[in-house]
Amino acid sequence: MEAGVVFLLLLASLGVALTDTFHGDSISFMPPKRNSDGTYKVTFFHRQNSKGNCKNESTFTCDDGVCTTFSKSSVLPTDKEVATNPRWCQSEGRTTATVSTNKNSLTLRLTTTMHGKIPQSWRRSGCCWEPNVQGVGVSWTSFAELDLGTRSDTRSINSCPVTTTVSSLRVPQNCFSKIRLLAYDPDRDKVRCRYALNATQVPGITLDETACTLTKTGNITTGVHLFVLTMEDVTTKNITVTYADKTTTYREESNTRLPPLCKVKVQFSVEVTDSIPNCEMGHVQPTFLSRTPSHGDVLHATVGQTFQLYAQAQAAHSTIQDFQVSGPHNMTKAFKDDQFGKAEVTLSWMPQQSDLNRFVPVCFTAETKKTQSEMRCVVVMVTQSSITQVRAKVQCEPNKMTVVLEKASIPDIDENFLQLRDPSCSLTSNSTHITGVMSFTTCGTKLEEKGDFIVFKNEINSFVLPSEVIVRRKTVKIDFSCQFPKAIEISSYYSVRNSDYIFTESSFGSFGYTFEIFRDGNFTKKVEASAYPVEVKLLQTIYMGIEATSELPNVTVFVESCKATPDDNPDNALSYDLIKNGCIRDETLKVAESPQTEFRFQVQAFKFTGNYDQVYVTCSVILCEPGSQFSRCAQGCLKDPSRRRRRRGLSKETVGHYITQGPLQFVGQPVPKAAEEGLNVVMQNDDVPATVISPPAAPDTKSSKGSWEFKRMLSSNVTAVVLGSAFLVSVMLLAVVIHRYSRKTRVEDTKALIASDYEN
């Protein structure tokens, strides 16, 4: 982030704090506000993890004189183990600063630094990390950087990622699998996790920066390991950021080369304990049961009303003694021990007016004497009035789910401002009902495992247009799901190979796509589900087809892009374009004639360089009503997409939806060219990309001519090779004959010589 104001938080007094050793901390922010006088109101919450008595009386100061007022509430404990020597204790303090600056960003810091030998009294005061494997112990620093510009999409100052952890994380050495961190952004930006500058990386553990997950990849020693990370937000759309001095900057979608709009440090420790006999979750280590919220869920609370969160866990061969919680300081905890190794907790909290619009991170674990469950975290969004939450009628089918809402049950709701989790999927309605249809792999549907069940979850939310300054509509959040037992054959209930995609849009109703791999160029024999992953060889021709179905007659399907990736993540940075902006990019790709609702093509099999043996193909597909010269389907290949002609209201088309097929699994040696039926090598004579046409027109004459020239050259070369080979074979045969004749002659001469000597 470019240099800005340094908003320096200094620990005024270390000697009066009564905390034990430091175990980590986190900072979360209220949405920053710009006051009418040009100053900024910045409110943040600091949670600190430690042992023993976690009451913290430290005070903060603001450096450089940029704070005209500085208000700090009392630091209060949020959770503490009930024991003589508590293993965990967490506190939270709230600070509000009025910042006067003409710069574009500010930096928050809280630093403790000790030099020389550390007195035992200071170590008890929380100055230093607890003893750890890395040997870090002298100092720790809290840190955050905030951009003060106003975003064009939200018309507000950027919000920082929300995160926290429980105070004490423990995992047996032989059971360390992964630790999922909370990484939520109120602006719906992507959150990227990185090791902080100069932080020591833990050997044997890999950080997935995109998923914000720590995974075991090698041997890990027992003891306490420290993790010092930063969470950064990356915009998922193109936006403009405007600052107080009227200057602007342009933020390109998913551009990781730009500095983040916000950077927040989170630090914590993980104790790797001795191994246990059984690592199965629910045996000795507690596992959460189905009524527990899923990791990353966004829950809603209302000012002045009691919010409750319920969690339940089970450990068949150990006793759950407590739940460790990281939450707001006035959240209460009610623990209940049940039979069969089960235990439950109910968290209660009443948000105050000062909590309005706050995004509150809450994390929790189930604790036994020697182990704990996975850490689960949710975000609680605080609103002024109750959010409408109704029970939807859901129909679960083998490859899709349908949600139906009765309009009479949700009066005063504007159906035009409702959407599914994926905003590209909208809803349809009639005079009495609002309906949404989606497959288990589209529209933001999430798959989760809950005990003995697999659950597919989605939600209906209200939304606000970027151009709206005020609204008078109620906020809506409706969760719905389909649940299937693991004991059944799961593949009979949902498409594990992503070939069925169902969407809903208000102007097109329900429509869907199938994406198949075929046995040959007739496009009639599909590869069976049992044959996935599909085994192929390099240079083999792959036949694929996309078919659209729609409630509307006479629609046309258009494939705007297709790209290959080495895994099922279409956003993988390692990718290869087959079709882009409606233009063919791969020289071996050929489009076959097909009806207007189908797109059939063939491409020569390839693999990514490096240690990759699979390929997935993801395509962006659009449906259009024919007859409009301004529709995306009619415009075909666009060399410069920015110059696309658009006429609002004159063309009727869906948004682009992504569908994926694969994997293709590479085996054996490449297919010989002479043995590959239908393999045509196409050489393009110029840099002009071929056009994806639906239905396809006749082949490009230039490409055909280039192909013929290449074949003619290849034919003449083959003839020369054959003649040369025949000549070499003849020479070799002649040499063999001469050699054998020579040997025979020498033998006969020898015999004759021996006979002559004998006779003499």
Side-chain angles (χ1 to χ4, degrees), residues 322-342:
D322 198 357
F323 283 80
Q324 185 182 177
V325 178
S326 173
H329 69 81
N330 53 347
M331 176 176 276
T332 61
K333 178 174 68 175
F335 174 79
K336 180 181 178 182
D337 189 10
D338 206 344
Q339 56 183 350
F340 307 117
K342 296 181 180 179

Side-chain angles (χ1 to χ4, degrees), residues 181 194-196 207 227-231 264-268:
L181 303 177
R194 292 182 172 183
Y195 278 99
L207 172 63
F227 294 87
V228 182
L229 312 177
T230 58
M231 293 195 174
V264 179
K265 178 183 282 188
V266 57
Q267 42 198 347
F268 54 92

Side-chain angles (χ1 to χ4, degrees), residues 394-396 401 440 455-458 479-483:
V394 183
Q395 180 180 359
C396 300
M401 57 181 172
F440 296 139
V455 183
F456 298 92
K457 300 175 63 176
N458 210 315
D479 297 309
F480 58 95
S481 62
C482 285
Q483 179 171 291

Side-chain angles (χ1 to χ4, degrees), residues 248-266:
T248 61
T249 61
Y250 178 72
R251 291 273 175 166
E252 187 179 10
E253 172 187 351
S254 301
N255 189 342
T256 56
R257 295 188 301 271
L258 294 174
L261 289 170
C262 186
K263 182 189 298 184
V264 179
K265 178 183 282 188
V266 57

Side-chain angles (χ1 to χ4, degrees), residues 4 18 22 109 360 464 475 552:
L18 298 177
F22 179 72
R109 299 181 193 273
V360 185
V464 177
T475 304
L552 298 179

Side-chain angles (χ1 to χ4, degrees), residues 18-25 47-56 75-83 85-92 165-169 324-327 333:
L18 298 177
T19 59
D20 200 342
T21 51
F22 179 72
H23 279 219
D25 71 341
R47 294 185 188 173
Q48 183 171 321
N49 307 328
S50 54
K51 289 184 178 179
N53 188 348
C54 63
K55 185 178 180 182
N56 192 328
V75 177
L76 300 174
T78 61
D79 190 35
K80 179 180 178 181
E81 183 184 30
V82 180
N85 297 308
R87 290 175 296 178
W88 75 79
C89 189
Q90 187 179 82
S91 61
E92 181 183 73
T165 67
V166 295
S167 183
S168 174
L169 287 169
Q324 185 182 177
V325 178
S326 173
K333 178 174 68 175

Side-chain angles (χ1 to χ4, degrees), residues 211-387:
C212 290
T213 300
L214 295 165
T215 305
K216 179 182 177 181
T217 55
N219 295 325
I220 307 174
T221 60
T222 57
V224 175
H225 298 266
L226 308 185
F227 294 87
V228 182
L229 312 177
T230 58
M231 293 195 174
E232 307 169 355
D233 56 357
V234 180
T235 59
T236 57
K237 61 186 75 172
N238 298 331
I239 65 170
T240 301
V241 182
T242 304
Y243 298 98
D245 59 1
K246 306 303 181 184
T247 61
T248 61
T249 61
Y250 178 72
R251 291 273 175 166
E252 187 179 10
E253 172 187 351
S254 301
N255 189 342
T256 56
R257 295 188 301 271
L258 294 174
L261 289 170
C262 186
K263 182 189 298 184
V264 179
K265 178 183 282 188
V266 57
Q267 42 198 347
F268 54 92
S269 62
V270 177
E271 182 183 3
V272 178
T273 60
D274 294 335
S275 298
I276 59 176
N278 192 322
C279 290
E280 180 184 357
M281 297 303 295
H283 189 269
V284 176
Q285 297 180 96
T287 184
F288 287 115
L289 302 182
S290 60
R291 291 183 62 186
T292 307
S294 299
H295 184 79
D297 277 356
V298 179
L299 310 178
H300 294 80
T302 302
V303 171
Q305 299 183 18
T306 301
F307 164 84
Q308 288 193 326
L309 185 154
Y310 175 86
Q312 185 182 36
Q314 183 177 22
H317 297 276
S318 58
T319 301
I320 299 176
Q321 300 175 335
D322 198 357
F323 283 80
Q324 185 182 177
V325 178
S326 173
H329 69 81
N330 53 347
M331 176 176 276
T332 61
K333 178 174 68 175
F335 174 79
K336 180 181 178 182
D337 189 10
D338 206 344
Q339 56 183 350
F340 307 117
K342 296 181 180 179
E344 60 188 57
V345 67
T346 301
L347 306 178
S348 301
W349 178 55
M350 182 177 290
Q352 306 302 309
Q353 188 65 36
S354 59
D355 295 310
L356 180 62
N357 299 323
R358 180 183 173 189
F359 290 85
V360 185
V362 178
C363 295
F364 48 91
T365 57
E367 300 286 329
T368 70
K369 183 177 181 180
K370 293 185 177 181
T371 65
Q372 67 181 185
S373 67
E374 63 164 326
M375 180 177 66
R376 282 202 185 179
C377 302
V378 300
V379 174
V380 181
M381 177 182 176
V382 181
T383 59
Q384 180 65 60
S385 57
S386 290
I387 288 185

